[in-house]
Amino acid sequence: MLIFGHCRLTMTNIGEKVVCLVAYHIFFMLFVWSYWKTIFTLPMNPSKEFHLSYSDKESLEREPRGESQQEVLRRAAKDLPIYTRTMSGAIRYCDRCHLVKPDRCHHCSVCDKCILKMDHHCPWVNNCVGFSNYKFFLLFLAYSLLYCLFIAATDLQYFIKFWTNGLPDTQAKFHIMFLFFAAAMFSVSLSSLFGYHCWLVSKNKSTLEVFRAPIFHHRTDKNGFSLGFSKNLRQVFGDEKKYWLLPVFSSLGDGCSFPTCLVNQDPEQASTPGGLNSTCKNENHLFPAKPLRDSQSHLLTDTHSWSDIGAKAEKGKVGMSNPALTMENET
């Protein structure tokens, strides 16, 4: 109602009123649409293939920590497309959800469930921000910022007149003062938050990964999932640019597997399990990295198949123990 009062009582030019109200409603509808999608889009959880079977869960609970539990996790993770590990090199396992965590998946203590590509739990939208609604959250920040900037910009000249006594003494004077201060304050806070998440998108990171970098086979790599600015952007917004500015889901992939810059960087490293670089060439990995899903593999510049090589490496290592592979709980 404040914006209507501002247009009706302050603006004298009819064209200015029409342009202001049309632009205002466009920004407002996009803001509400993206906010709605951020709130009511359910966070995606790991698929059934990542859950332990009933017999595996019984074995895990019955056996003491050690080789027996390692064997259970080996059997559960052998066909899963996972690359990341815990700090000790163990498979990332959630003992609350009883599943092997996909890459970039974390357990939310508020929702009490594992969330795919979890960024953070946002109290302002009362929802987890993750793979399924991260694009909506970004657009919500963008349109909130544009909404506030538009109000502040259209109100600025009248705000100056307010302090120079250039406005008639009407109730609209208080509308102008309140609108400008509120819009300006929200613009400052939103611009910093939106800028931070734009940086995260450009680096293909989540908020959690900034504070705790992902670990790939005993190696921490803070840029392990970064594929370059263009591909990082497409991973969140999709390949079709016509959907980029609309709060409709267009992100690439299924949220369970992600391409990594550590895979297939050098054709000469194809014989190395998981396509790791030369610093890991001599490591004896019991869990070679698995092929990416079709929806993700096209993001990689080198698309030649290496799954057969990884399978052969797995076959030659059956029955070998790995003392570094201990079950470790992780949030």
Side-chain angles (χ1 to χ4, degrees):
M1 295 299 294
L2 291 177
I3 194 68
F4 285 103
H6 171 48
C7 291
R8 183 173 61 87
L9 300 175
T10 307
M11 296 181 180
T12 56
N13 187 286
I14 298 298
E16 185 181 5
K17 289 182 180 181
V18 171
V19 171
C20 179
L21 288 175
V22 169
Y24 170 81
H25 282 91
I26 291 175
F27 287 131
F28 180 73
M29 291 303 297
L30 289 171
F31 158 70
V32 172
W33 186 8
S34 57
Y35 186 52
W36 179 276
K37 294 286 285 186
T38 304
I39 294 176
F40 293 104
T41 299
L42 295 177
M44 287 183 64
N45 311 120
S47 56
K48 292 182 179 180
E49 61 184 336
F50 289 89
H51 289 75
L52 295 185
S53 64
Y54 181 76
S55 58
D56 286 341
K57 283 190 287 187
E58 281 193 332
S59 300
L60 203 63
E61 295 171 356
R62 183 174 60 251
E63 299 293 340
R65 289 181 179 268
E67 180 60 27
S68 299
Q69 287 189 339
Q70 292 175 23
E71 181 61 32
V72 173
L73 293 180
R74 259 199 301 274
R75 189 166 55 247
K78 66 179 181 179
D79 294 322
L80 299 178
I82 55 176
Y83 299 97
T84 55
R85 301 291 185 266
T86 64
M87 294 183 65
S88 65
I91 293 292
R92 299 172 64 243
Y93 173 76
C94 180
D95 62 343
R96 296 179 67 91
C97 300
H98 303 291
L99 56 83
V100 175
K101 291 182 182 178
D103 293 340
R104 317 185 81 175
C105 173
H106 297 274
H107 187 90
C108 177
S109 58
V110 179
C111 300
D112 196 26
K113 61 180 67 175
C114 285
I115 307 299
L116 294 180
K117 196 187 177 185
M118 180 178 173
D119 188 86
H120 68 286
H121 186 93
C122 183
W124 302 110
V125 299
N126 193 30
N127 198 6
C128 258
V129 177
F131 175 76
S132 61
N133 62 350
Y134 187 61
K135 177 191 173 184
F136 306 147
F137 178 74
L138 282 172
L139 292 179
F140 160 62
L141 293 180
Y143 290 130
S144 300
L145 179 59
L146 288 175
Y147 180 62
C148 292
L149 288 175
F150 174 78
I151 292 177
T154 55
D155 198 45
L156 179 60
Q157 60 173 316
Y158 302 101
F159 181 76
I160 296 174
K161 289 181 181 180
F162 172 83
W163 291 104
T164 57
N165 296 321
L167 284 178
D169 190 13
T170 63
Q171 189 177 5
K173 296 175 66 174
F174 300 101
H175 292 174
I176 291 171
M177 184 174 63
F178 176 80
L179 279 174
F180 183 81
F181 275 119
M185 288 188 294
F186 276 108
S187 296
V188 172
S189 58
L190 284 169
S191 60
S192 60
L193 184 59
F194 178 63
Y196 173 69
H197 279 278
C198 287
W199 176 79
L200 290 180
V201 172
S202 69
K203 299 296 184 181
N204 205 338
K205 296 180 180 180
S206 66
T207 300
L208 292 176
E209 289 168 352
V210 170
F211 292 98
R212 183 171 58 193
I215 302 172
F216 299 86
H217 294 282
H218 308 287
R219 290 194 313 114
T220 300
D221 192 329
K222 61 182 181 180
N223 296 314
F225 291 108
S226 180
L227 305 174
F229 178 78
S230 176
K231 293 179 180 178
N232 293 343
L233 191 68
R234 285 162 49 201
Q235 195 172 100
V236 175
F237 290 94
D239 288 328
E240 299 189 57
K241 294 182 179 181
K242 62 183 179 181
Y243 296 123
W244 282 13
L245 300 181
L246 297 177
V248 294
F249 185 81
S250 58
S251 302
L252 299 180
D254 54 8
C256 292
S257 61
F258 296 90
T260 166
C261 65
L262 303 179
V263 178
N264 290 344
Q265 285 186 324
D266 187 346
E268 294 180 0
Q269 298 172 1
S271 60
T272 305
L276 298 175
N277 61 24
S278 58
T279 60
C280 298
K281 188 177 294 184
N282 296 324
E283 285 191 40
N284 186 21
H285 299 297
L286 189 60
F287 292 89
K290 303 303 184 294
L292 297 172
R293 297 161 188 251
D294 292 338
S295 57
Q296 293 288 349
S297 59
H298 74 282
L299 282 173
L300 297 173
T301 55
D302 184 2
T303 56
H304 71 274
S305 175
W306 46 273
S307 58
D308 293 337
I309 298 172
K312 292 179 181 177
E314 171 73 15
K315 187 180 295 182
K317 296 179 181 179
V318 173
M320 296 172 61
S321 61
N322 187 351
L325 185 64
T326 55
M327 184 176 68
E328 180 173 311
N329 298 330
E330 181 180 278
T331 59

